[in-house]
Amino acid sequence: MIRFFLAALAIAAPFMAQAQSLSAQDILAQVDKKVASGNEYQALLADPDPARALAAMQIMLASGDADLVRIALNAGLYSPNPTVQRTAFEAFIQTAPVINIYVDGKSAGDADRFRGWIEYYSGTVNDKSVGFISQKVSDYDKYGSCYTYSGSNACLFRISDDGISIRMWDSWNILRLNDQGELAGLVKVSDIAAPLPIRIPVTN
């Protein structure tokens, strides 16, 4: 047993020495290389020519490289350009994500009625009157021009020149991407009189 351990240690020794030989300068060089690479991608996405910046984002989103997709998605979602934002959001929605929907029901008036409409989507309401609904996005329906709920052919999201819309409780509601990387706006909840604030985090 001792012989086996010594033999294994002898085999591993060169690799251990190599791992231990990584100096602070080596690490710094690798950090600089990684940061410089990220800056290069950011520079492409910040090209002063909007067409080139959009093309760079589209290519990065379609690359299949998780790091490039993350960089491009974040840049697109936080862009001040609505076209770039919509392109980034559409790339995100095409991954069939599970989205978390928060509806603020403080001004709903009838708490029980609000709870019932949240539970209609198998959601819950916390002690601060905020409804939580989780939904998985499914395929694109070319006939309805929308992305559907998972397990249903009912429309959930529509992306158009007017912006990004969500369909809940049989009504379409326009949402905007805010500075926190969330879709936000107001949603009409069936027979509740006043539209209620809604937010949907898109970025982590």
Side-chain angles (χ1 to χ4, degrees), residues 56-99:
M57 187 187 71
Q58 290 171 328
I59 291 169
M60 290 169 66
L61 287 171
S63 68
D65 183 309
D67 288 336
L68 291 186
V69 170
R70 176 182 52 79
I71 292 170
L73 182 61
N74 285 334
L77 291 173
Y78 288 108
S79 170
N81 186 318
T83 300
V84 174
Q85 283 189 338
R86 288 198 300 272
T87 301
F89 178 76
E90 189 157 22
F92 165 75
I93 217 72
Q94 286 172 353
T95 65
V98 174
I99 61 167

Short mmCIF file of all heavy atoms in Angstrom, two decimals, residues 56-99:
data_model
loop_
_atom_site.label_atom_id
_atom_site.label_comp_id
_atom_site.label_asym_id
_atom_site.label_seq_id
_atom_site.Cartn_x
_atom_site.Cartn_y
_atom_site.Cartn_z
N ALA A 56 -22.49 43.11 -34.52
CA ALA A 56 -21.58 42.45 -33.58
C ALA A 56 -22.37 41.71 -32.51
O ALA A 56 -22.05 40.57 -32.15
CB ALA A 56 -20.65 43.48 -32.95
N MET A 57 -23.42 42.35 -31.98
CA MET A 57 -24.24 41.72 -30.96
C MET A 57 -24.93 40.47 -31.50
O MET A 57 -24.95 39.42 -30.85
CB MET A 57 -25.28 42.70 -30.42
CG MET A 57 -26.05 42.15 -29.24
SD MET A 57 -27.42 43.22 -28.73
CE MET A 57 -28.55 42.98 -30.09
N GLN A 58 -25.48 40.55 -32.71
CA GLN A 58 -26.17 39.41 -33.29
C GLN A 58 -25.22 38.24 -33.51
O GLN A 58 -25.58 37.08 -33.25
CB GLN A 58 -26.82 39.83 -34.61
CG GLN A 58 -28.00 40.78 -34.42
CD GLN A 58 -28.51 41.37 -35.73
OE1 GLN A 58 -27.74 41.58 -36.67
NE2 GLN A 58 -29.80 41.65 -35.80
N ILE A 59 -24.01 38.51 -33.97
CA ILE A 59 -23.03 37.45 -34.21
C ILE A 59 -22.62 36.81 -32.88
O ILE A 59 -22.52 35.58 -32.78
CB ILE A 59 -21.79 38.02 -34.94
CG1 ILE A 59 -22.17 38.41 -36.37
CG2 ILE A 59 -20.65 37.00 -34.96
CD1 ILE A 59 -21.11 39.21 -37.09
N MET A 60 -22.41 37.63 -31.86
CA MET A 60 -22.02 37.10 -30.55
C MET A 60 -23.15 36.28 -29.94
O MET A 60 -22.92 35.22 -29.34
CB MET A 60 -21.61 38.23 -29.63
CG MET A 60 -20.29 38.89 -30.03
SD MET A 60 -19.93 40.44 -29.14
CE MET A 60 -19.72 39.83 -27.46
N LEU A 61 -24.38 36.73 -30.10
CA LEU A 61 -25.53 35.99 -29.56
C LEU A 61 -25.70 34.64 -30.25
O LEU A 61 -26.16 33.67 -29.63
CB LEU A 61 -26.81 36.81 -29.73
CG LEU A 61 -26.96 38.02 -28.81
CD1 LEU A 61 -28.16 38.87 -29.24
CD2 LEU A 61 -27.11 37.61 -27.35
N ALA A 62 -25.32 34.57 -31.53
CA ALA A 62 -25.48 33.33 -32.29
C ALA A 62 -24.24 32.44 -32.23
O ALA A 62 -24.21 31.37 -32.84
CB ALA A 62 -25.79 33.66 -33.75
N SER A 63 -23.22 32.86 -31.46
CA SER A 63 -21.94 32.15 -31.46
C SER A 63 -21.99 30.81 -30.74
O SER A 63 -21.19 29.91 -31.02
CB SER A 63 -20.86 33.03 -30.81
OG SER A 63 -21.12 33.18 -29.41
N GLY A 64 -22.90 30.68 -29.78
CA GLY A 64 -22.93 29.46 -28.98
C GLY A 64 -21.95 29.48 -27.82
O GLY A 64 -21.92 28.57 -27.00
N ASP A 65 -21.11 30.52 -27.75
CA ASP A 65 -20.16 30.68 -26.66
C ASP A 65 -20.88 31.35 -25.48
O ASP A 65 -21.33 32.49 -25.60
CB ASP A 65 -18.98 31.53 -27.13
CG ASP A 65 -17.89 31.69 -26.07
OD1 ASP A 65 -18.22 32.05 -24.93
OD2 ASP A 65 -16.71 31.46 -26.39
N ALA A 66 -20.97 30.67 -24.36
CA ALA A 66 -21.76 31.17 -23.23
C ALA A 66 -21.27 32.53 -22.75
O ALA A 66 -22.08 33.40 -22.41
CB ALA A 66 -21.71 30.16 -22.07
N ASP A 67 -19.94 32.73 -22.71
CA ASP A 67 -19.41 34.02 -22.25
C ASP A 67 -19.76 35.14 -23.21
O ASP A 67 -20.16 36.24 -22.80
CB ASP A 67 -17.89 33.94 -22.08
CG ASP A 67 -17.48 33.10 -20.88
OD1 ASP A 67 -18.31 32.97 -19.95
OD2 ASP A 67 -16.37 32.56 -20.87
N LEU A 68 -19.62 34.87 -24.52
CA LEU A 68 -19.94 35.90 -25.52
C LEU A 68 -21.43 36.22 -25.51
O LEU A 68 -21.82 37.38 -25.63
CB LEU A 68 -19.52 35.43 -26.92
CG LEU A 68 -18.03 35.33 -27.20
CD1 LEU A 68 -17.79 35.00 -28.67
CD2 LEU A 68 -17.31 36.63 -26.85
N VAL A 69 -22.25 35.19 -25.36
CA VAL A 69 -23.70 35.41 -25.32
C VAL A 69 -24.06 36.28 -24.12
O VAL A 69 -24.87 37.20 -24.23
CB VAL A 69 -24.44 34.05 -25.26
CG1 VAL A 69 -25.92 34.26 -24.97
CG2 VAL A 69 -24.27 33.29 -26.57
N ARG A 70 -23.46 36.00 -22.97
CA ARG A 70 -23.75 36.78 -21.76
C ARG A 70 -23.34 38.24 -21.95
O ARG A 70 -24.09 39.16 -21.61
CB ARG A 70 -23.01 36.18 -20.56
CG ARG A 70 -23.17 36.97 -19.27
CD ARG A 70 -22.37 36.33 -18.14
NE ARG A 70 -20.98 36.11 -18.51
CZ ARG A 70 -20.06 37.07 -18.53
NH1 ARG A 70 -20.38 38.31 -18.20
NH2 ARG A 70 -18.81 36.79 -18.88
N ILE A 71 -22.14 38.47 -22.50
CA ILE A 71 -21.65 39.84 -22.73
C ILE A 71 -22.59 40.58 -23.67
O ILE A 71 -22.98 41.72 -23.44
CB ILE A 71 -20.21 39.81 -23.29
CG1 ILE A 71 -19.23 39.30 -22.23
CG2 ILE A 71 -19.79 41.21 -23.75
CD1 ILE A 71 -17.84 39.02 -22.77
N ALA A 72 -22.94 39.92 -24.79
CA ALA A 72 -23.79 40.56 -25.79
C ALA A 72 -25.19 40.81 -25.26
O ALA A 72 -25.79 41.86 -25.51
CB ALA A 72 -23.84 39.70 -27.05
N LEU A 73 -25.72 39.84 -24.52
CA LEU A 73 -27.07 39.99 -23.99
C LEU A 73 -27.16 41.15 -23.00
O LEU A 73 -28.06 41.98 -23.09
CB LEU A 73 -27.51 38.69 -23.30
CG LEU A 73 -28.92 38.66 -22.73
CD1 LEU A 73 -29.95 38.87 -23.81
CD2 LEU A 73 -29.18 37.33 -22.01
N ASN A 74 -26.20 41.23 -22.09
CA ASN A 74 -26.22 42.33 -21.13
C ASN A 74 -26.05 43.67 -21.81
O ASN A 74 -26.74 44.64 -21.47
CB ASN A 74 -25.11 42.12 -20.09
CG ASN A 74 -25.46 41.05 -19.07
OD1 ASN A 74 -26.64 40.78 -18.83
ND2 ASN A 74 -24.47 40.42 -18.49
N ALA A 75 -25.15 43.73 -22.79
CA ALA A 75 -24.95 44.99 -23.51
C ALA A 75 -26.22 45.40 -24.25
O ALA A 75 -26.60 46.57 -24.26
CB ALA A 75 -23.79 44.85 -24.50
N GLY A 76 -26.88 44.43 -24.86
CA GLY A 76 -28.09 44.73 -25.62
C GLY A 76 -29.25 45.16 -24.74
O GLY A 76 -29.95 46.12 -25.05
N LEU A 77 -29.44 44.46 -23.63
CA LEU A 77 -30.57 44.77 -22.75
C LEU A 77 -30.43 46.13 -22.08
O LEU A 77 -31.42 46.79 -21.79
CB LEU A 77 -30.71 43.68 -21.69
CG LEU A 77 -31.16 42.30 -22.21
CD1 LEU A 77 -31.09 41.27 -21.09
CD2 LEU A 77 -32.56 42.35 -22.79
N TYR A 78 -29.19 46.55 -21.85
CA TYR A 78 -28.96 47.85 -21.21
C TYR A 78 -28.72 48.97 -22.23
O TYR A 78 -28.44 50.10 -21.86
CB TYR A 78 -27.78 47.77 -20.25
CG TYR A 78 -28.07 46.99 -18.99
CD1 TYR A 78 -27.53 45.73 -18.78
CD2 TYR A 78 -28.91 47.52 -18.01
CE1 TYR A 78 -27.81 45.01 -17.62
CE2 TYR A 78 -29.18 46.81 -16.85
CZ TYR A 78 -28.64 45.56 -16.66
OH TYR A 78 -28.92 44.86 -15.52
N SER A 79 -28.82 48.64 -23.51
CA SER A 79 -28.59 49.65 -24.55
C SER A 79 -29.70 50.70 -24.55
O SER A 79 -30.88 50.38 -24.30
CB SER A 79 -28.54 48.98 -25.93
OG SER A 79 -28.55 49.94 -26.96
N PRO A 80 -29.38 51.96 -24.84
CA PRO A 80 -30.42 52.99 -24.95
C PRO A 80 -31.19 52.90 -26.27
O PRO A 80 -32.21 53.58 -26.43
CB PRO A 80 -29.62 54.29 -24.86
CG PRO A 80 -28.28 53.94 -25.40
CD PRO A 80 -28.03 52.53 -24.96
N ASN A 81 -30.71 52.05 -27.17
CA ASN A 81 -31.34 51.90 -28.49
C ASN A 81 -32.46 50.86 -28.40
O ASN A 81 -32.18 49.68 -28.14
CB ASN A 81 -30.28 51.47 -29.51
CG ASN A 81 -30.83 51.44 -30.93
OD1 ASN A 81 -31.94 50.98 -31.17
ND2 ASN A 81 -30.05 51.92 -31.88
N PRO A 82 -33.72 51.22 -28.63
CA PRO A 82 -34.83 50.26 -28.52
C PRO A 82 -34.70 49.07 -29.46
O PRO A 82 -35.08 47.96 -29.09
CB PRO A 82 -36.07 51.11 -28.87
CG PRO A 82 -35.66 52.52 -28.61
CD PRO A 82 -34.19 52.58 -28.93
N THR A 83 -34.16 49.29 -30.66
CA THR A 83 -34.00 48.19 -31.60
C THR A 83 -33.00 47.17 -31.07
O THR A 83 -33.22 45.95 -31.16
CB THR A 83 -33.51 48.71 -32.97
OG1 THR A 83 -34.47 49.64 -33.48
CG2 THR A 83 -33.34 47.57 -33.97
N VAL A 84 -31.91 47.64 -30.51
CA VAL A 84 -30.90 46.75 -29.93
C VAL A 84 -31.49 46.01 -28.73
O VAL A 84 -31.28 44.80 -28.56
CB VAL A 84 -29.66 47.55 -29.52
CG1 VAL A 84 -28.66 46.66 -28.77
CG2 VAL A 84 -28.99 48.16 -30.75
N GLN A 85 -32.26 46.71 -27.90
CA GLN A 85 -32.89 46.06 -26.75
C GLN A 85 -33.82 44.94 -27.19
O GLN A 85 -33.80 43.84 -26.63
CB GLN A 85 -33.69 47.09 -25.94
CG GLN A 85 -32.86 47.99 -25.06
CD GLN A 85 -33.75 48.81 -24.14
OE1 GLN A 85 -34.93 49.03 -24.39
NE2 GLN A 85 -33.17 49.27 -23.04
N ARG A 86 -34.64 45.21 -28.20
CA ARG A 86 -35.59 44.20 -28.67
C ARG A 86 -34.86 42.99 -29.24
O ARG A 86 -35.28 41.84 -29.02
CB ARG A 86 -36.54 44.79 -29.72
CG ARG A 86 -37.56 45.75 -29.14
CD ARG A 86 -38.72 45.97 -30.09
NE ARG A 86 -38.29 46.53 -31.37
CZ ARG A 86 -38.17 47.82 -31.62
NH1 ARG A 86 -38.44 48.70 -30.68
NH2 ARG A 86 -37.79 48.24 -32.81
N THR A 87 -33.77 43.24 -29.98
CA THR A 87 -33.00 42.14 -30.55
C THR A 87 -32.41 41.26 -29.46
O THR A 87 -32.44 40.04 -29.53
CB THR A 87 -31.87 42.69 -31.45
OG1 THR A 87 -32.44 43.47 -32.50
CG2 THR A 87 -31.06 41.55 -32.07
N ALA A 88 -31.87 41.90 -28.42
CA ALA A 88 -31.30 41.15 -27.31
C ALA A 88 -32.37 40.37 -26.56
O ALA A 88 -32.17 39.19 -26.21
CB ALA A 88 -30.58 42.11 -26.35
N PHE A 89 -33.51 41.01 -26.32
CA PHE A 89 -34.58 40.31 -25.60
C PHE A 89 -35.09 39.12 -26.41
O PHE A 89 -35.38 38.06 -25.85
CB PHE A 89 -35.74 41.26 -25.29
CG PHE A 89 -36.87 40.58 -24.59
CD1 PHE A 89 -36.77 40.26 -23.24
CD2 PHE A 89 -38.03 40.22 -25.27
CE1 PHE A 89 -37.81 39.61 -22.58
CE2 PHE A 89 -39.06 39.57 -24.62
CZ PHE A 89 -38.95 39.26 -23.27
N GLU A 90 -35.21 39.29 -27.71
CA GLU A 90 -35.68 38.18 -28.54
C GLU A 90 -34.70 37.02 -28.50
O GLU A 90 -35.11 35.86 -28.46
CB GLU A 90 -35.90 38.64 -29.98
CG GLU A 90 -36.59 37.58 -30.83
CD GLU A 90 -37.30 38.15 -32.04
OE1 GLU A 90 -36.94 39.26 -32.47
OE2 GLU A 90 -38.20 37.48 -32.56
N ALA A 91 -33.40 37.32 -28.49
CA ALA A 91 -32.40 36.25 -28.36
C ALA A 91 -32.56 35.53 -27.03
O ALA A 91 -32.45 34.29 -26.95
CB ALA A 91 -31.00 36.83 -28.49
N PHE A 92 -32.85 36.29 -25.98
CA PHE A 92 -33.07 35.69 -24.66
C PHE A 92 -34.31 34.81 -24.65
O PHE A 92 -34.28 33.68 -24.16
CB PHE A 92 -33.21 36.82 -23.63
CG PHE A 92 -33.79 36.38 -22.30
CD1 PHE A 92 -33.03 35.67 -21.40
CD2 PHE A 92 -35.11 36.69 -21.97
CE1 PHE A 92 -33.56 35.27 -20.18
CE2 PHE A 92 -35.65 36.30 -20.76
CZ PHE A 92 -34.86 35.58 -19.85
N ILE A 93 -35.39 35.30 -25.22
CA ILE A 93 -36.66 34.58 -25.16
C ILE A 93 -36.62 33.31 -26.02
O ILE A 93 -37.34 32.34 -25.78
CB ILE A 93 -37.83 35.51 -25.59
CG1 ILE A 93 -39.08 35.21 -24.76
CG2 ILE A 93 -38.15 35.41 -27.07
CD1 ILE A 93 -38.98 35.66 -23.34
N GLN A 94 -35.76 33.29 -27.02
CA GLN A 94 -35.63 32.11 -27.88
C GLN A 94 -34.95 30.94 -27.17
O GLN A 94 -34.97 29.82 -27.67
CB GLN A 94 -34.86 32.47 -29.15
CG GLN A 94 -35.68 33.29 -30.14
CD GLN A 94 -34.86 33.81 -31.30
OE1 GLN A 94 -33.64 33.67 -31.34
NE2 GLN A 94 -35.52 34.42 -32.27
N THR A 95 -34.36 31.19 -26.00
CA THR A 95 -33.75 30.11 -25.22
C THR A 95 -34.78 29.36 -24.38
O THR A 95 -34.42 28.48 -23.60
CB THR A 95 -32.65 30.66 -24.29
OG1 THR A 95 -33.23 31.52 -23.30
CG2 THR A 95 -31.60 31.42 -25.09
N ALA A 96 -36.06 29.72 -24.51
CA ALA A 96 -37.15 29.09 -23.75
C ALA A 96 -36.90 29.18 -22.24
O ALA A 96 -36.91 28.18 -21.53
CB ALA A 96 -37.36 27.64 -24.17
N PRO A 97 -36.68 30.39 -21.73
CA PRO A 97 -36.36 30.54 -20.30
C PRO A 97 -37.59 30.39 -19.41
O PRO A 97 -38.73 30.51 -19.86
CB PRO A 97 -35.82 31.96 -20.22
CG PRO A 97 -36.61 32.69 -21.27
CD PRO A 97 -36.75 31.70 -22.40
N VAL A 98 -37.34 30.14 -18.15
CA VAL A 98 -38.38 30.25 -17.13
C VAL A 98 -38.31 31.69 -16.61
O VAL A 98 -37.26 32.14 -16.18
CB VAL A 98 -38.16 29.26 -15.98
CG1 VAL A 98 -39.17 29.51 -14.86
CG2 VAL A 98 -38.25 27.82 -16.48
N ILE A 99 -39.41 32.40 -16.70
CA ILE A 99 -39.42 33.80 -16.26
C ILE A 99 -40.19 33.94 -14.95
O ILE A 99 -41.16 33.22 -14.71
CB ILE A 99 -40.02 34.73 -17.35
CG1 ILE A 99 -41.47 34.34 -17.64
CG2 ILE A 99 -39.17 34.72 -18.61
CD1 ILE A 99 -42.21 35.38 -18.46
#
